[in-house]
Amino acid sequence: MNIWFDPVESLTEVIKETASSLEGFSDKFIPDVRPTDPRFGDFQANGIFSEAKRIGVNPRILAEKFVAELEKSGRIDRDLLSISIAGPGFINFKFSNEFLGNWIATYRSTDVLRKVCKKIYNGKKVVIDYPSPNTAKQMHVGHLRILVIGEAISRLLEFCGADLTRDNHIGDWGTNFGILIFEIKRTNYVFPDDDVKALSELEELYKSGTSYVKDEENHAGAMEQARMELVKLQQGDRDNVCLWEKIVKVSNAACARIYDIFGVHPDVTLGESFYRDKVGRVYDELSECGIAEESDGALVVWNDEDFRYSRNNKNAAPFIIRKKDGGSNYASTDLATLLYRVEHFNADEVVYVTDDRQQDHFRMLSLTAKRWFAEKKYRFPEIKHVTFGKILGSNGKPIKTKEGGSIKLKSLVDEAVSRAFSIVKEKNSDLPEREQRKISEVIGISAIRYADLLQNRTIDYVFSWDRLLSFEGNTAPYLLYAVTRIKSIYRKAGLEISNVVANDVVIIPSTVSEAVLIRHLMKFSNVIKIAIEELKPHYVCTYLFELAVTFSSFYTADKIIVEDSRVRDLRLRLCACTLDVLETGLNLLGIDTLERM
Ligand code: ARG
């Protein structure tokens, strides 16, 4: 029996092979193998039960027959693996200590894991759409989730072999430019050199401009003037195009600073304006195929195959793809964008990251595009909408500043770093201040990032400074500390980690905590698979936290640097593997680790 690097995959293979040599099993039979309650074993295979139902035999008897065949087949080595049947036909597998010793000796580093995981996407072309903020606005706390979830999912996709393009679909072509240009001209606004300052001033200008034009009593005709500025921009008026370009440039530069903080680096930034000349094709083709129809002067699409968006549902609204005034909108732009991603990037899959309020939009987009692409025989990519819930304050309502405004992302980051600095200064008073500041930056930013990723993204969560910066519990500081602790074991012993891993002599674990730790390390590949399947990074967080806790119990129970060289080697190897998995996992989440803290 080979020592399986990825037990889930290997067990699945062995079970499938065994099933194919048994009469009655369907060719399509795929056992569902997953980690199980340690009281029963390491992994459990489900699927015999439904197969028995399909064939019409007693599941328990089928399971017994199956296990007998598996044992006879020689595909497994009973010294390494014990098998038992539970309930109505679940099959449990439990690895022996000998297996665990072999496994950890073969496990060199996560590079092997990388190779296994690469097969999941296997070079498939994926375009991920994030952070895609709107221009002329500072990024606020609502963008935190897009940045960190988008980045973690991107890294997971790349780890799993996707050929990824990060496409930043900025909202740079809205009706807001009419008011903004109007107000810039009215106030003779001069752009300052500092882009961050300019962006915050633009935001104010938009506010003052909006109240100015809305005040019909005192400023009659101002609304119309603002509208005309927009029309002029759309018609290519030089001054207005110049101003628009300046606004977009300033916004992009200011946002880029925030992206940098979160390690987000878009490959392309093709905003809504890029699709201005591509929406015509959308109107033409959708009308020609009879998918879009005129309604009250607008062009709309009903998607009758889904009652929520069907004309038969009197509460439903159609997907409006061209406004009454003939202008394009979010929907037409997104349809053009999707086609561009298929034609230009050859996308097999497109992943959108936005909050959950845009669910209807993306469902209608997907339904409409599916019909359109089918008519025109364009390849239809898989569409995934990664949504997330809100960040709440301690009062259970969406988090706001004391004054009730939206919290700017930059000020959130600054606060995180300064709070981290107070903690680091106290804990590491012996370090020079420069180093304390560097450490605080990593801790502060990872803390807000991790606290966000830790939640199942679809639900709202309550933001709490105390919790996210705590060195205890499931937090970034706790995990970062676990990493530095392992590094210090090596430093103190004067050893190089790479030497320990390179040695592949098999050493059988002899203590419970060694075995428990190896068992946990073994489950990492499965966690990645589940996370990528659901595009949910929180599975990785939960796993890493459990790993750090398991490591901590091992470290408390078993002294590492002992006389017996075999025992010491195994334990050092366990430290190295844990470190490698922790660092790989944290990196997938976008978190840089530290040497000391
Ligand atoms: N700019 C939009 C917003 O801030 C998000 C864009 C998401 N991507 C897309 N292709 N629609 O709400």
Side-chain angles (χ1 to χ4, degrees):
M1 178 169 139
N2 289 327
I3 286 305
W4 302 327
F5 177 74
D6 177 353
V8 171
E9 191 174 290
S10 308
L11 279 172
T12 304
E13 256 334 285
V14 165
I15 295 171
K16 264 168 46 191
E17 279 170 19
T18 308
S20 70
S21 58
L22 266 176
E23 218 172 296
F25 276 89
S26 144
D27 310 339
K28 296 195 190 71
F29 170 69
I30 298 178
D32 177 18
V33 179
R34 54 181 67 195
T36 189
D37 185 328
R39 281 172 304 171
F40 307 129
D42 292 309
F43 293 92
Q44 182 172 78
N46 303 345
I48 300 276
F49 183 66
S50 48
E51 199 60 12
K53 232 169 100 187
R54 198 186 56 77
I55 310 170
V57 295
N58 177 321
R60 183 94 200 177
I61 292 177
L62 187 68
E64 278 161 13
K65 225 172 103 188
F66 180 86
V67 171
E69 176 68 21
L70 185 56
E71 287 178 345
K72 204 176 75 199
S73 72
R75 287 190 183 91
I76 53 154
D77 181 340
R78 289 306 293 269
D79 289 341
L80 300 185
L81 189 65
S82 60
I83 310 174
S84 60
I85 301 172
F90 301 124
I91 301 180
N92 289 318
F93 299 89
K94 192 175 179 71
F95 295 121
S96 66
N97 279 358
E98 195 183 336
F99 178 94
L100 300 178
N102 275 282
W103 187 85
I104 198 75
T106 321
Y107 185 104
R108 287 300 174 73
S109 75
T110 35
D111 287 347
V112 189
L113 174 68
R114 221 174 274 269
K115 280 194 202 120
V116 175
C117 290
K118 282 240 178 304
K119 285 191 279 183
I120 301 179
Y121 267 79
N122 207 6
K124 228 164 106 176
K125 182 73 214 174
V126 181
V127 174
I128 184 164
D129 181 320
Y130 85 107
S132 312
N134 291 330
T135 41
K137 273 192 176 161
Q138 298 175 78
M139 295 182 89
H140 52 80
V141 67
H143 291 105
L144 174 69
R145 307 212 72 182
I146 306 184
L147 288 167
V148 305
I149 295 171
E151 187 56 28
I153 288 179
S154 297
R155 292 182 185 207
L156 270 166
L157 283 164
E158 280 176 328
F159 193 82
C160 293
D163 172 7
L164 192 70
T165 297
R166 294 164 162 90
D167 184 359
N168 187 13
H169 187 78
I170 54 172
D172 59 356
W173 199 244
T175 45
N176 55 331
F177 285 102
I179 291 178
L180 206 48
I181 292 174
F182 168 82
E183 189 67 357
I184 287 174
K185 288 184 177 172
R186 188 184 74 80
T187 57
N188 289 320
Y189 176 67
V190 182
F191 284 85
D193 287 340
D194 179 356
D195 293 324
V196 174
K197 182 154 176 271
L199 183 57
S200 97
E201 287 171 356
L202 283 173
E203 209 172 291
E204 290 310 313
L205 283 174
Y206 181 67
K207 279 189 209 147
S208 63
T210 305
S211 38
Y212 189 94
V213 303
K214 277 196 177 153
D215 182 2
E216 301 260 353
E217 223 167 275
N218 296 308
H219 310 129
M223 183 75 98
E224 183 53 23
Q225 269 176 286
R227 217 185 56 77
M228 279 318 291
E229 295 294 1
L230 181 68
V231 173
K232 272 164 72 186
L233 170 67
Q234 287 166 341
Q235 288 170 348
D237 172 86
R238 270 193 56 176
D239 286 350
N240 283 13
V241 169
C242 238
L243 276 174
W244 168 74
E245 279 171 349
K246 179 89 186 149
I247 298 167
V248 173
K249 198 180 133 264
V250 160
S251 303
N252 284 344
C255 287
R257 298 224 209 147
I258 305 270
Y259 302 166
D260 261 356
I261 294 176
F262 287 98
V264 169
H265 305 288
D267 298 306
V268 287
T269 295
L270 298 175
E272 292 176 8
S273 68
F274 178 76
Y275 298 94
R276 268 176 292 171
D277 61 353
K278 298 176 180 59
V279 287
R281 180 170 167 199
V282 176
Y283 309 142
D284 292 348
E285 295 190 2
L286 285 170
S287 305
E288 174 198 304
C289 301
I291 295 169
E293 60 198 75
E294 296 268 347
S295 166
D296 267 339
L299 194 60
V300 308
V301 177
W302 286 104
N303 286 293
D304 293 334
E305 63 275 41
D306 186 328
F307 188 68
R308 286 172 295 186
Y309 313 111
S310 150
R311 75 183 79 226
N312 305 322
N313 176 354
K314 54 181 195 321
N315 298 319
F319 197 39
I320 301 173
I321 65 166
R322 191 177 62 207
K323 295 185 293 185
K324 255 190 205 156
D325 64 8
S328 63
N329 64 0
Y330 196 49
S332 25
T333 307
D334 257 334
L335 286 164
T337 307
L338 184 63
L339 182 59
Y340 185 81
R341 286 173 177 165
V342 170
E343 291 188 334
H344 183 82
F345 292 115
N346 272 316
D348 297 306
E349 183 171 315
V350 179
V351 180
Y352 298 92
V353 186
T354 80
D355 69 38
D356 51 17
R357 289 171 301 183
Q358 297 201 28
Q359 285 193 26
D360 286 330
H361 168 77
F362 284 106
R363 282 198 202 110
M364 288 193 276
L365 176 74
S366 179
L367 289 166
T368 305
K370 195 166 190 171
R371 291 160 61 202
W372 170 29
F373 283 27
E375 282 292 333
K376 302 298 289 184
K377 304 211 163 34
Y378 303 145
R379 192 166 42 83
F380 187 67
E382 192 161 343
I383 293 181
K384 292 182 178 165
H385 185 202
V386 169
T387 62
F388 49 84
K390 292 182 275 301
I391 306 181
L392 308 175
S394 52
N395 58 1
K397 301 221 175 76
I399 189 167
K400 293 259 188 279
T401 59
K402 279 198 207 81
E403 297 74 35
S406 73
I407 300 176
K408 303 292 176 261
L409 201 41
K410 183 69 177 67
S411 61
L412 190 83
V413 168
D414 290 346
E415 182 162 357
V417 174
S418 93
R419 281 176 182 260
F421 183 64
S422 323
I423 302 172
V424 170
K425 213 166 59 180
E426 211 183 283
K427 277 196 193 284
N428 303 65
S429 50
D430 49 326
L431 289 179
E433 179 172 335
R434 233 196 37 223
E435 195 162 339
Q436 288 175 343
R437 294 222 176 259
K438 261 172 76 188
I439 295 176
S440 314
E441 216 158 276
V442 174
I443 295 184
I445 294 160
S446 350
I448 42 179
R449 184 195 283 273
Y450 187 83
D452 194 295
L453 292 174
L454 167 64
Q455 312 294 330
N456 182 342
R457 59 176 168 75
T458 54
I459 55 177
D460 299 345
Y461 76 92
V462 176
F463 190 91
S464 152
W465 282 119
D466 291 339
R467 190 154 10 109
L468 66 90
L469 280 166
S470 165
F471 276 62
E472 271 149 54
N474 194 355
T475 65
Y478 177 78
L479 290 171
L480 288 171
Y481 181 69
V483 166
T484 56
R485 184 157 74 169
I486 302 179
K487 288 187 177 172
S488 80
I489 297 172
Y490 286 89
R491 248 201 322 272
K492 280 186 198 142
L495 290 168
E496 284 296 325
I497 295 173
S498 47
N499 295 347
V500 176
V501 190
N503 162 359
D504 61 359
V505 179
V506 174
I507 309 166
I508 314 295
S510 55
T511 69
V512 173
S513 43
E514 288 167 352
V516 169
L517 182 55
I518 301 177
R519 292 201 143 88
H520 200 74
L521 287 166
M522 229 159 65
K523 288 175 183 160
F524 188 46
S525 57
N526 190 245
V527 169
I528 303 255
K529 280 186 196 157
I530 295 172
I532 195 78
E533 222 169 83
E534 298 182 27
L535 298 182
K536 285 186 172 173
H538 76 275
Y539 290 113
V540 178
C541 299
T542 310
Y543 172 81
L544 293 178
F545 174 62
E546 284 169 2
L547 177 61
V549 171
T550 308
F551 179 81
S552 188
S553 322
F554 156 75
Y555 186 70
T556 313
D558 297 338
K559 195 161 173 267
I560 311 277
I561 309 296
V562 288
E563 281 295 315
D564 183 333
S565 69
R566 283 178 72 80
V567 174
R568 189 178 59 224
D569 283 354
L570 175 67
R571 291 183 185 169
L572 280 169
R573 191 180 286 166
L574 289 180
C575 292
C577 274
T578 305
L579 177 65
D580 186 24
V581 170
L582 281 175
E583 287 199 303
T584 303
L586 286 170
N587 184 272
L588 281 174
L589 300 174
I591 293 176
D592 293 331
T593 56
L594 290 162
E595 284 308 307
R596 63 184 87 217
M597 63 189 266

